[in-house]
Amino acid sequence: MNDIGMFFALAAGMLSFFSPCVFPLLPAYVTHLTGGRVENAKMQVDRKKLYLRSFGFIIGFSMIFIALGASASFFGKILMNYRMIIMQAAGLLIIIFGLQMAGLLKFKFLMKEPFAKTKKAGQHYY
């Protein structure tokens, strides 16, 4: 079962890597990472710089995602203790918003426009 999950994770990573959003960025990324230059129609790369930058990228990327995962787990555990209260409050908000949309409630603060008024009447900044 675990091998199937690893296969799908690898396949999803490959699909996202070759997607139209990421693939065109690859030459610029590799050039920046390697610090390479073209001399005599060949790419000249300083291997020490390449390994240092690759290691730095991997460590930085890993630290960010580990921190995001740890904080999400931490907040998830905190919220799990108050799950019933959060569900009831969310349900109440959905009912209030539904009644507002149906026109049965008329809360002024829910009917405000999010535009900044200027000194001249009728003009808005978007």
Side-chain angles (χ1 to χ4, degrees):
M1 182 72 172
N2 212 6
D3 294 335
I4 294 173
M6 293 284 278
F7 171 74
F8 282 118
L10 179 66
M14 293 299 286
L15 283 173
S16 69
F17 180 78
F18 290 110
S19 70
C21 303
V22 176
F23 195 65
L25 300 174
L26 189 60
Y29 169 73
V30 170
T31 303
H32 177 71
L33 184 67
T34 61
R37 59 192 180 283
V38 177
E39 289 181 5
N40 299 327
K42 289 187 178 183
M43 184 78 161
Q44 302 295 323
V45 177
D46 180 10
R47 289 194 185 266
K48 184 177 179 183
K49 189 183 284 187
L50 172 65
Y51 292 137
L52 276 171
R53 289 182 178 180
S54 297
F55 182 72
F57 175 79
I58 291 167
I59 293 298
F61 199 82
S62 298
M63 287 174 56
I64 293 297
F65 277 92
I66 289 169
L68 286 172
S71 61
S73 296
F74 175 74
F75 287 119
K77 286 181 183 178
I78 290 174
L79 293 176
M80 192 59 131
N81 294 334
Y82 302 102
R83 181 178 174 204
M84 205 60 184
I85 295 169
I86 293 170
M87 286 173 49
Q88 291 171 345
L92 183 62
L93 278 174
I94 290 171
I95 291 170
I96 289 170
F97 291 155
L99 292 173
Q100 175 79 17
M101 291 293 291
L104 299 175
L105 295 178
K106 298 204 185 302
F107 290 120
K108 297 280 186 197
F109 69 94
L110 291 176
M111 296 167 62
K112 288 184 180 179
E113 292 182 17
F115 302 115
K117 304 247 184 207
T118 63
K119 292 182 182 180
K120 294 180 182 178
Q123 289 183 343
H124 300 286
Y125 288 113
Y126 296 98

